[in-house]
Amino acid sequence: MITTSKASKIIPHIVLVIMTILALMPIVLLFMASITDEQELIKNGYSFFPKKLSLYSFRYIFRSASTIFRAYGVTIFVTAVGTLTNMVLTVMLAYPISRPELKCRNVIAFLVFFTMLFNGGLVPTYIMYTQIFHIRDTIWALIVPNLLLSPFNVILVRNYFRTNIPDSLVEAAKLDGASDMQTLIRVVLPISTPILGTVGLMSGLAYWNNWTNGLYYLVKRTDLYSIQNVLTNMLNNIQFLKTSAQLEGVNLDLSQLPSVGIRMAIAVIALIPVMIAYPLVQKSFVKGIVVGGVKG
């Protein structure tokens, strides 16, 4: 007979295992659909155990291997530079408004929060970036607009600093002769890895998954397309080819062109790097969200 103490340990583990399986099932189904024959998908739909397998969707995508690898390179560069810059700017803004000695810090915090609720709109933003900052058809078009600084991240980091960095620790550093910058770099940041990991992960995912910046700001420089833009264009081209052939009555054998399977293959290609990166920062991400989300 299982005692109460053992049951209290076993039951949560069973629940977590069930929830983990439920979370993994869509990913497994996604992968199986990506390697299922196109006609099988159309006829029988998605299945964990398809009758006929095919790698045609992946072969079709990697026919333009040079374009895919270049897009991966652009995406990795943009994600790395954008995430690092985002973290630096976030910390440089969040730390001052977390210090009680800063005058008007509540006003600055309100202005940061205000930008979460209101913005100038898409058209004014586009005009500002293209006609004032001139970032159209440059690599900065993928880094600066909308993603360079998040007010949510600033508030999250500020709350973490206020609730987890003792004032006595900062005062001790200043008594030892440390400047504000030295205190931030040598004292505050080393004990703030959970929130830094959280902000880094959220910013990195935002950059990795973003495709609207490339759509809006890259007009002529398609060589700067990220992996999301390249895969989206590939899918749109297939849909356009099939639709045009049907409307114009062109007698083409389009049955081999993947339309359903390629969507799944595109999702798999975009998902793999995220699945690799997330476990590395999962612990910091959970702790940072829990602690940084507490109202300070």
Side-chain angles (χ1 to χ4, degrees):
M1 183 176 180
I2 301 177
T3 63
T4 304
S5 59
K6 289 185 177 180
S8 62
K9 295 179 180 179
I10 294 175
I11 293 176
H13 283 81
I14 294 176
V15 173
L16 288 176
V17 169
I18 294 175
M19 294 179 64
T20 302
I21 294 174
L22 292 176
L24 289 176
M25 284 177 62
I27 300 177
V28 175
L29 183 61
L30 176 70
F31 175 74
M32 295 306 299
S34 69
I35 61 174
T36 301
D37 181 72
E38 180 74 12
Q39 297 305 313
E40 177 70 16
L41 279 174
I42 296 174
K43 182 179 179 181
N44 299 320
Y46 306 120
S47 173
F48 287 102
F49 305 100
K51 297 179 180 179
K52 187 177 180 181
L53 301 179
S54 173
L55 295 177
Y56 185 80
S57 295
F58 287 99
R59 289 200 301 268
Y60 184 89
I61 292 175
F62 283 99
R63 282 178 178 177
S64 304
S66 60
T67 302
I68 295 293
F69 290 132
R70 184 181 66 244
Y72 261 123
V74 171
T75 306
I76 292 172
F77 175 80
V78 168
T79 301
V81 174
T83 301
L84 180 61
T85 307
N86 181 287
M87 293 175 64
V88 171
L89 294 178
T90 299
V91 170
M92 295 297 289
L93 178 56
Y95 179 69
I97 62 178
S98 71
R99 303 304 307 151
E101 61 268 20
L102 177 67
K103 296 180 180 180
C104 300
R105 64 189 181 93
N106 291 330
V107 175
I108 299 174
F110 171 76
L111 293 177
V112 172
F113 177 73
F114 185 83
T115 62
M116 293 179 60
L117 306 177
F118 304 97
N119 60 69
L122 180 60
V123 174
T125 300
Y126 179 83
I127 293 174
M128 179 185 68
Y129 281 127
T130 56
Q131 298 187 12
I132 297 178
F133 293 104
H134 303 287
I135 65 170
R136 185 168 57 185
D137 288 325
T138 68
I139 192 65
W140 301 108
L142 300 178
I143 297 177
V144 177
N146 306 317
L147 303 172
L148 195 60
L149 185 63
S150 168
F152 175 77
N153 289 350
V154 172
I155 294 174
L156 201 66
V157 175
R158 183 205 63 171
N159 290 348
Y160 186 93
F161 286 159
R162 290 180 61 178
T163 56
N164 289 271
I165 307 299
D167 292 338
S168 58
L169 189 63
V170 176
E171 293 172 359
K174 292 184 177 180
L175 289 175
D176 288 338
S179 64
D180 289 329
M181 184 61 70
Q182 289 174 330
T183 302
L184 173 63
I185 295 175
R186 298 183 180 181
V187 178
V188 176
L189 294 184
I191 58 177
S192 302
T193 52
I195 196 64
L196 295 179
T198 301
V199 172
L201 178 63
M202 292 192 297
S203 176
L205 287 176
Y207 274 107
W208 184 269
N209 292 322
N210 180 265
W211 62 276
T212 56
N213 283 350
L215 177 66
Y216 297 155
Y217 300 106
L218 297 181
V219 181
K220 299 178 181 178
R221 295 292 304 277
T222 56
D223 58 304
L224 293 179
Y225 272 180
S226 67
I227 187 65
Q228 307 294 346
N229 293 117
V230 169
L231 296 177
T232 301
N233 280 352
M234 192 175 297
L235 182 60
N236 290 338
N237 290 339
I238 292 176
Q239 295 299 115
F240 175 78
L241 182 60
K242 287 193 170 185
T243 303
S244 299
Q246 292 173 355
L247 292 177
E248 297 178 9
V250 179
N251 187 20
L252 293 175
D253 183 14
L254 301 177
S255 60
Q256 291 301 316
L257 278 180
S259 57
V260 181
I262 197 173
R263 298 176 188 176
M264 305 299 108
I266 286 172
V268 170
I269 292 174
L271 184 64
I272 288 176
V274 177
M275 294 181 63
I276 295 174
Y278 180 74
L280 302 178
V281 294
Q282 179 184 9
K283 184 177 180 181
S284 297
F285 176 75
V286 174
K287 185 176 180 181
I289 284 290
V290 172
V291 179
V294 177
K295 182 179 179 180

